[in-house]
Every structure is written in C-alpha cells, then in structure tokens.
C-alpha cells in the first residue's frame, strides 16, 4: 500500500530533517565556553535551533494525531504497544528473509517496518530535542546536568547511526526502483506509460 503524504507532512518532515542534520553537524564544532564567557556561534546556533526543533517535533506529533486517515497513523509509527502492530513489523522482517531463502526477489512492500522505523527516528529526535532543552533551561549548572547531557550525547550518537542507516536504505530503495525521494519531498512519481500493441 502506497500511503498519501500531504504537503503539511512533507513540510514538517523536511523541517525536522534539516534541524536534525544541522544539530548533528553543529555538534561537531560546538564547544562549551569557560565560565563568564559568551558561547561561540556554533554552540549558540546549536542551542537555539534545538529549541526550534522542539517546536517542529511537537507540531509533527500533533499533526500525526489529527491528519487524514490516508496517511500513516500513530499506531503504525509506534506499534510496540499493540499485538497486531508488533506482528506486522515481525512479518515485514521475516518475510523478505524467507523470500531470499526461497530464491525469490524480496518484496519492497514493508509498510509496517518502514512506519515503525520512522517512528523510532521521530522518537529519538524528540528525546534529543527535549533533553537538550531540559539541560539548557532547567538542569544547566545543577547536579543532574552531567547526567542529562550524557544521555543527550548518547542519543546523538544513536541519531548519527540512524540518519546514516536511513539514508542508505532510502538510496537502496531508490536504486531498486522505488521512487521514495520523489514521493516524500517533491511530487508523485509519474505513471509509466504502457504501450499496447495492436492485435494482429
């Protein structure tokens, strides 16, 4: 099943993607200032674009709750609390393995798995944004600050792995013939024209 993606979903997805990429990139250059010193630009931007990320992710989750039923519902993004949801994800993992072992080309129809993976990415990005905001507004300079920042850094490393893996899988789908980039960001893929030869 090919799910419809509205302009709002595409815009929010692109916004979250740009925020995550900026935050990962700026984290390589952001350094904490010494006491009494003002933060340098990379850290300043990292902190405040992180606040923008909290807003963008909040809007995304709210949009998931109210958007059209033709789009991915919350229960598919977070299937782990539903027996049916877990079963669908497991089937999407086991199915291609069985197809390969049987000598058949594996199917690209892995909707339950793809939705769950997107949900994991959104959850991880949300934890990053919230832990960073919590450190900045609440725990900075407190006894819990080091713990919060340690969890934030750990989640950042996991996000690096997620983004790289997600990009490689999207590229693999694109090369396999599934136009995921056109579907998510720009337009619907053009329908292939089928030429029917006249009967002889």
């Amino acid at each position: 099943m090919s799910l419809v993606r509205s302009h709002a979903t595409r815009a929010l997805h692109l916004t979250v993607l740009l925020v995550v990429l900026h935050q990962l990139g700026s984290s390589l250059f952001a350094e904490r200032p010494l006491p009494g010193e003002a933060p340098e630009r990379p850290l300043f931007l990292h902190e405040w674009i992180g606040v923008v990320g909290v807003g963008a992710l909040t809007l995304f989750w709210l949009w998931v709750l109210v958007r059209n039923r033709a789009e991915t519902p919350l229960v598919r993004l977070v299937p782990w609390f539903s027996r049916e949801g877990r079963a669908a994800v497991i089937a999407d993992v086991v199915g291609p393995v069985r197809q390969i072992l049987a000598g058949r080309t594996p199917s690209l129809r892995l909707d339950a798995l793809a939705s769950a993976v997107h949900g994991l990415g959104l959850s991880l990005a949300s934890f990053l944004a919230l832990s960073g905001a919590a450190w900045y507004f609440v725990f900075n300079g407190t006894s819990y600050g080091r713990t919060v920042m340690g969890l934030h850094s750990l989640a950042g490393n996991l996000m690096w792995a997620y983004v790289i893996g997600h990009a490689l899988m999207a590229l693999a789908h694109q090369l396999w013939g599934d136009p995921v980039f056109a579907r998510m960001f720009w337009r619907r893929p053009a329908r292939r024209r089928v030429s029917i030869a006249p009967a002889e």
Side-chain angles (χ1 to χ4, degrees):
M1 179 178 64
S2 180
L3 294 171
V4 176
R5 291 176 176 86
S6 65
H7 293 304
T9 295
R10 296 183 187 201
L12 286 167
H13 184 273
L14 181 58
T15 301
V16 170
L17 173 63
L18 292 175
V19 168
V20 167
L21 291 179
H22 175 272
Q23 295 302 86
L24 290 177
S26 63
S27 69
L28 300 175
F29 305 99
E31 296 183 1
R32 296 184 192 177
L34 295 173
E37 291 185 352
E40 296 183 358
R41 183 175 295 273
L43 179 60
F44 177 82
L45 290 175
H46 185 83
E47 291 172 342
W48 285 102
I49 290 183
V51 174
V52 172
V54 172
L57 285 158
T58 300
L59 285 176
F60 204 127
W61 285 114
L62 291 174
W63 176 241
V64 167
L65 293 176
V66 301
R67 66 187 176 182
N68 191 295
R69 291 183 179 181
E71 298 195 69
T72 308
L74 179 63
V75 69
R76 292 185 65 112
L77 289 173
V78 189
W80 316 111
F81 305 103
S82 161
R83 179 179 298 178
E84 294 80 6
R86 292 193 301 271
V89 172
I90 292 171
D92 274 3
V93 173
V94 174
V97 175
R98 289 178 175 170
Q99 291 168 345
I100 291 172
L101 292 177
R104 301 196 304 269
T105 302
S107 172
L108 291 176
R109 298 300 178 94
L110 305 173
D111 294 331
L113 178 60
S115 296
V117 168
H118 277 97
L120 286 174
L122 279 171
S123 299
L124 183 56
S126 299
F127 179 82
L128 267 169
L130 290 173
S131 60
W135 178 85
Y136 185 79
F137 290 110
V138 180
F139 296 108
N140 186 9
T142 71
S143 57
Y144 296 104
R146 186 181 298 272
T147 300
V148 173
M149 187 49 60
L151 292 172
H152 184 75
S153 298
L154 175 61
N157 292 333
L158 293 175
M159 181 56 81
W160 272 110
Y162 177 87
V163 167
I164 293 170
H166 197 61
L168 290 175
M169 287 305 298
L171 183 60
H173 268 259
Q174 188 75 26
L175 294 175
W176 199 267
D178 183 17
V180 292
F181 296 120
R183 220 172 36 242
M184 188 65 241
F185 294 114
W186 299 291
R187 56 177 174 77
R188 289 177 180 269
R191 293 182 178 179
R192 294 180 181 177
R193 294 182 178 178
V194 179
S195 59
I196 303 175
E200 297 180 358

